[in-house]
Amino acid sequence: MSESTPLSARARLAVTAGKAAAAVSRAAGRGSGSVIGGRVALKFDPELLSRLAGHLDVVLISATNGKTTTTRLVAEALRAGGEVVSNALGANMPAGITSALSAGANARFAALEVDEKYLIAVAQDVNPKAIALLNLSRDQLDRAAETRMMAEHWREGLQGTKATVIANADDPLIVWAASSCPNVVWVAAGQAWKDDAWSCPSCGGVLQRPDDTTWRCAECGFGRPTPTWVLTGDSVLDPHGSTWPIHLQLPGRANKANATSAAAVAATFGIAPQVALQRMQSVAAVAGRYDVVQYEGRDIRLLLAKNPAGWLETFSLIDPPPAPVILGVNARGADGTDTSWLWDVDYTRLTGHPIAVIGDRRLDLAVRLEVAGQNFQVFDTAAEAIRNSPPGRIEAIANYTAFQDLRRVVGN
Ligand SMILES: [Zn+2]
């Protein structure tokens, strides 16, 4: 770790201007103001990001699914070694990252979630010690070809990087992206969603999957590297062969995978896995996700799932039938405007659950559920859907803006 260096006058001015803009934005009732603040600060000093990160040991975390949660787990783990600055609310583009770092003058570590498209640019600015690559799957059907292009973009941008890259050996696109890096720590974190990874990223050949744990291209030999960190059931196997139990408040297999990757990240910063995993246990919710809120006598668990891979993982962690399920779908800008991805999800996993359908695109989803033979009702509002469910636990699964809408309704 380098000594903390005072910021230049220009950088100080940029930070001050950014904070002022954030305060104005907050006063105007537009959320935390972190993004607008960061945008203003970067205008004053385009090199601010690299200046703010200069004294920090930085890890960047990127993925299609799980990056906000994994960043939170990593931040908790690193706190065992010193103060951590993080974009905990998921503002993951350069402006949001700048804003987060401007609060880190006294920090030792920075745990930063980065949007897939900005990973390479941010990595060039902040000189990270570690980069974690978790998974790449499509967000919407019209973006199917983009996952392959994103892997290629990462591969080119990360070639020769000095950072230790912590990468998921079970996702062929991640392996393709990371295999140009000189220093990779492979993690067997699993991949429930395989539909985006049937063709070889290297040659386009068909990937062979003789069993659930391995894959290999018959044409060119590109295949799964041998991982040194492995998620096995409810435990993490570390590179020394020791097994450490995972105890999380966060539900589901996907979060155990996130914890495994987070433990591997923490180890590159000198934090032992048992210490890291114990600290992760304190995380109960992440930016409102997984929160259980009381509303109208019901306990509503808020589950964000943005794409087919996310819905698949989420269906696997909900309470068994007859727990009522609310599904919310919007197709506004942040969600992607094409809802055809709804047809890629296997809804038979919801059989036995009474389903309430809400959101701007509730009729698109209703058609899909009808075809899948599911038992559902359509409601105009979240409040109606909740009131129609029996008292007790409700599992509410929604994509990005539908999730924000739902949080507003239930006051979380
Ligand atoms: Zn191949």
Side-chain angles (χ1 to χ4, degrees), residues 200 203 217 220:
C200 172
C203 77
C217 173
C220 75

Side-chain angles (χ1 to χ4, degrees), residues 116-284:
E116 302 93 285
K117 294 185 288 301
Y118 293 95
L119 176 67
I120 300 305
V122 171
Q124 277 155 6
D125 279 349
V126 303
N127 190 25
K129 187 171 173 177
I131 299 173
L133 308 176
L134 310 177
N135 53 65
L136 273 177
S137 75
R138 61 180 176 236
D139 272 1
Q140 294 92 32
L141 199 64
D142 57 46
R143 293 172 59 184
E146 285 186 16
T147 55
R148 173 66 176 74
M149 285 166 60
M150 189 62 69
E152 195 61 50
H153 172 62
W154 283 5
R155 183 181 169 84
E156 283 167 18
L158 294 175
Q159 202 155 22
T161 180
K162 280 181 261 164
T164 299
V165 174
I166 293 94
N168 183 0
D170 292 324
D171 186 328
L173 285 171
I174 291 293
V175 174
W176 176 245
S179 52
S180 68
C181 304
N183 187 10
V184 186
V185 174
W186 297 111
V187 179
Q191 186 195 34
W193 178 260
K194 298 184 174 66
D195 287 19
D196 292 322
W198 285 108
S199 71
C200 172
S202 178
C203 77
V206 177
L207 289 183
Q208 316 277 316
R209 293 179 185 272
D211 57 59
D212 218 29
T213 57
T214 192
W215 53 269
R216 183 180 171 80
C217 173
E219 313 271 326
C220 75
F222 177 72
R224 180 178 185 261
T226 305
T228 53
W229 292 80
V230 180
L231 167 64
T232 54
D234 294 328
S235 300
V236 174
L237 180 65
D238 77 13
H240 305 291
S242 300
T243 301
W244 308 103
I246 304 172
H247 299 292
L248 292 176
Q249 293 187 61
L250 303 177
R253 191 215 66 88
N255 282 322
K256 292 191 177 83
N258 294 336
T260 305
S261 296
V265 169
T268 68
F269 291 84
I271 312 290
Q274 63 271 41
V275 175
L277 287 164
Q278 196 182 5
R279 296 190 66 90
M280 293 178 210
Q281 204 178 341
S282 67
V283 178

